[in-house]
Amino acid sequence: MDYFLRCLKFILPAAKVTLLLTVAALALGLVLGLLLAVARIYGRPPARSFAAIYSRVVRSLPTLVVLFLVYSFVTIVFGIRGVTTAVIALTACTAAYQSEIFRGAIQSLGTGQMAAARSLGMTKSVAVRSVIIPQALRLAIPSWSNEAAIVLKDSSLASAIGTTEIFRRAQQIGAANHDYLPAFLACGLIYFCLTFLTNRVLDYVQKRYRLKL
Amino acid sequence: MAVTLAGLMAIDIVGELEFIWRILPELGKGLVTTLELTALALTAGLVLAVPTAVVRTYTRGPLNWLFTAYVEVFRGTPLLVQLFVVYYGLPEMGIVFDRFFSAWAALTLNSAAYQSEYIRGAIMSVSEGQLTAARSLGMRPLQAFRWVVLPQALRLALPAWSNEVAYMVKYVSVVYMIALPELFTRGAMIRSRTFKVWSPMISVAVIYLGVVIGITRVMDYVEKRLRIPGLESGHGGREY
C-alpha cells in the first residue's frame, strides 16, 4: 500500500503531459477535422479527394503506425523533437476520425440549410462559417465525446515514441523497483479518473449545447 | 529544404523494392499472428460479452454492480495498461502467462467490455413486448431470451460489431509493447535492425491498409445480408 502511494506520487505529475497531449491533439484535430470535413463536402475535386484519401488511409492504420511514420517524418525533415512530435502525430490521427464525425454531422443537417443561406445572399464560405459549422459542431458533441475518450487513452501510445507521460512513468518506477503490479494499477487509476472527469465535463457540455433536429 | 528534397530524390528505388521483397515473408508471418490474435480475441470477447450484457440488462444487485464495474474499468483505461497488468503485474501474484496468452487475455477482456455495450444497447432496443409475447406462448424466460430476443439483438448489434472487427485488427498492434511479433512489431524490429526508417514501416502501413479495407468490404456484405429490414440502427461502436 505504501509502495502503491509512492507510485501514485511518482506518476501523477506526468498527468500534466498526458492532459497536454490530449487537449492539444483534440484541439488541433478539431480545426483540421473541420477543414477536412468541409473540403470533403463543399471543396473542389482535388481538395475533396485529398480529404477523402487522407481520412481513409489514416483510419485504416493502427495509431502506432501513424505515430512511428509521423515521428520519423517530423524529426528527420523538420528536426522537431520532444513532446511536440507526439502532439503532431496524435493530431494527424484524430484529425481523420474527427473529419468523419463532422462530415456525418454536416450531412445530417441536410442541403436545405445551405440553399436557404445562399438564397439570403450569403457566399458559400460565409454560409459554411456562420450557418453550417455552428450547427454541425453542436450535433457532433456525442460522437466527439467518444473521440475525446479515445484520444486520452491512446495518448499512452506516445510512450512508444519516447514521450514521458503517465504510462511511461509507471514503467519507469515499476522497472526501478522490480514491482510492476502496483505501478500499473496506479497508472490505470489515474486514467480511469481522467476518463471519468472528461466524460462528466462533456456530458455537461452536451446537455447545455445539444441541438435536436 | 532543398537539400532534404534532393536527399529524398536520391533514394535507390530498385534497391528499396528488393529490400521490401526480402522482408515480405517475415511481415507475412506477423500478419498471420495479427489475424490469429484478432480472431481469437473477438470470438472469446463475444462469448464473454453476451452474458455480461444479459446480467447488466436483466439483473439488479451485486452481480450487476460487479459486471458494471468490469465494463467501466476496462472502457475507462487504456488497453496498454490492461496488457501490462496482465503481462508484468499478474506474475507477481504467481499467475504467469506466456506472451501470446497474455496478449490474448488482455485483448479479449478489453473487447468483451466494448462488445457487451453494443449487445446491451441492441437487447434494449428489442421491444419488451416481444419478451412478454414469448412468455405468453409458454416459453420460459431463458428460452424467450435465447430464441426471440438474442437472435434479433445480435443482428441489430452487427454494424457496431463490424466496426469492432476492423478496430481490433489495428489495435492488436499494441502488443508491440510486450514484443510479441505480430505485423507491426515485426516492422518495427526490421526498422531498428536495418536502420531503414521508411521502407519497413511503409510496407507495414500498406499491408494494414489492404487488410482493413478488405475486412470492411466483407463486413459491409455480411451486414447487408443479416440486417433486419426496416430496423437498421446506423453504425456506432468504436470507429475504425
Side-chain angles (χ1 to χ4, degrees):
Chain A
M1 199 61 206
D2 187 44
Y3 174 59
F4 179 77
L5 290 178
R6 260 200 306 133
C7 288
L8 214 51
K9 218 183 263 169
F10 181 79
I11 300 170
L12 204 53
K16 273 192 300 227
V17 182
T18 291
L19 279 176
L20 170 80
L21 283 177
T22 309
V23 172
L26 277 173
L28 293 171
L30 177 91
V31 177
L32 285 179
L34 264 180
L35 283 174
L36 284 169
V38 169
R40 181 93 177 265
I41 295 172
Y42 301 111
R44 285 172 214 279
R48 191 177 291 205
S49 357
F50 171 78
I53 292 170
Y54 179 81
S55 158
R56 176 80 265 170
V57 169
V58 172
R59 287 184 308 123
S60 297
L61 298 179
T63 310
L64 275 173
V65 172
V66 181
L67 284 179
F68 267 56
L69 287 175
V70 173
Y71 173 79
S72 311
F73 186 75
V74 296
T75 42
I76 292 171
V77 178
F78 299 109
I80 297 171
R81 286 181 198 287
V83 189
T84 323
T85 55
V87 170
I88 296 173
L90 283 172
T91 303
C93 275
T94 186
Y97 290 93
Q98 289 192 44
S99 81
E100 289 300 311
I101 291 172
F102 294 130
R103 188 168 73 102
I106 292 174
Q107 278 171 344
S108 70
L109 278 176
T111 50
Q113 297 278 338
M114 187 50 139
R118 297 282 280 137
S119 77
L120 287 172
M122 291 185 191
T123 61
K124 213 169 170 184
S125 63
V126 171
V128 167
R129 225 175 329 122
S130 49
V131 176
I132 304 291
I133 287 181
Q135 297 184 80
L137 278 178
R138 291 170 67 181
L139 275 178
I141 297 172
S143 319
W144 199 87
S145 312
N146 258 340
E147 178 63 16
I150 291 175
V151 174
L152 173 62
K153 285 177 278 171
D154 278 359
S155 72
S156 61
L157 298 175
S159 60
I161 53 170
T163 308
T164 310
E165 37 65 74
I166 54 184
F167 182 75
R168 190 68 191 277
R169 292 284 273 192
Q171 272 183 305
Q172 286 170 351
I173 190 166
N177 296 290
H178 296 291
D179 192 358
Y180 287 100
L181 188 58
F184 290 124
L185 290 181
C187 173
L189 179 67
I190 298 173
Y191 273 114
F192 188 77
C193 295
L194 288 177
T195 22
F196 184 80
L197 272 175
T198 318
N199 285 340
R200 286 294 85 78
V201 171
L202 287 169
D203 276 352
Y204 172 76
V205 173
Q206 190 187 335
K207 246 180 224 140
R208 184 95 170 59
Y209 295 102
R210 184 174 41 192
L211 189 65
K212 283 189 206 144
L213 280 188
Chain B
M1 200 62 195
V3 178
T4 328
L5 272 179
L8 283 174
M9 303 300 259
I11 291 171
D12 163 21
I13 300 210
V14 178
E16 289 302 313
L17 285 178
E18 261 169 12
F19 172 75
I20 291 172
W21 181 251
R22 265 185 289 123
I23 63 171
L24 225 42
E26 198 176 338
L27 295 180
K29 264 192 259 168
L31 178 61
V32 171
T33 312
T34 297
L35 294 177
E36 274 171 1
L37 264 177
T38 309
L40 289 172
L42 277 171
T43 41
L46 183 63
V47 171
L48 284 182
V50 173
T52 307
V54 170
V55 167
R56 291 200 63 201
T57 325
Y58 295 115
T59 68
R60 270 175 224 180
L63 203 58
N64 186 311
W65 303 334
L66 188 72
F67 279 84
T68 305
Y70 156 66
V71 171
E72 291 304 320
V73 166
F74 276 81
R75 294 198 326 137
T77 53
L79 173 57
L80 199 49
V81 174
Q82 293 155 19
L83 182 64
F84 271 59
V85 166
V86 173
Y87 186 67
Y88 288 103
L90 292 188
E92 289 171 13
M93 294 167 60
I95 310 168
V96 186
F97 300 135
D98 70 358
R99 248 183 257 280
F100 190 85
F101 190 87
S102 305
W104 172 72
L107 286 164
T108 298
L109 288 171
N110 182 278
S111 184
Y114 283 91
Q115 289 187 49
S116 80
E117 284 292 273
Y118 315 146
I119 295 172
R120 190 166 71 99
I123 288 177
M124 290 199 297
S125 67
V126 176
S127 71
E128 216 167 309
Q130 301 214 25
L131 205 59
T132 321
R135 296 276 284 127
S136 74
L137 287 172
M139 288 189 180
R140 280 177 279 116
L142 217 58
Q143 277 181 315
F145 176 77
R146 165 67 185 82
W147 297 105
V148 178
V149 179
L150 190 62
Q152 296 182 69
L154 288 182
R155 286 168 76 182
L156 283 174
L158 197 60
W161 198 81
S162 56
N163 267 352
E164 181 76 9
V165 177
Y167 192 90
M168 283 305 275
V169 173
K170 296 186 302 165
Y171 253 63
V172 164
S173 62
V174 167
V175 303
Y176 158 73
M177 302 291 278
I178 60 168
L180 196 159
E182 48 69 73
L183 179 54
F184 175 77
T185 314
R186 285 186 187 267
M189 275 163 24
I190 296 170
R191 178 181 186 266
S192 55
R193 191 175 70 214
T194 59
F195 298 105
K196 280 184 183 291
V197 179
W198 298 112
S199 344
M201 265 304 129
I202 289 175
S203 315
V204 166
V206 171
I207 296 175
Y208 271 115
L209 197 64
V211 170
V212 171
I213 290 176
I215 285 178
T216 317
R217 289 273 156 80
V218 172
M219 290 313 294
D220 277 350
Y221 174 75
V222 174
E223 258 174 61
K224 227 173 251 160
R225 287 300 303 267
L226 289 183
R227 77 172 160 217
I228 306 175
L231 268 181
E232 291 84 5
S233 60
H235 260 269
R238 297 199 260 194
E239 293 293 332
Y240 59 88

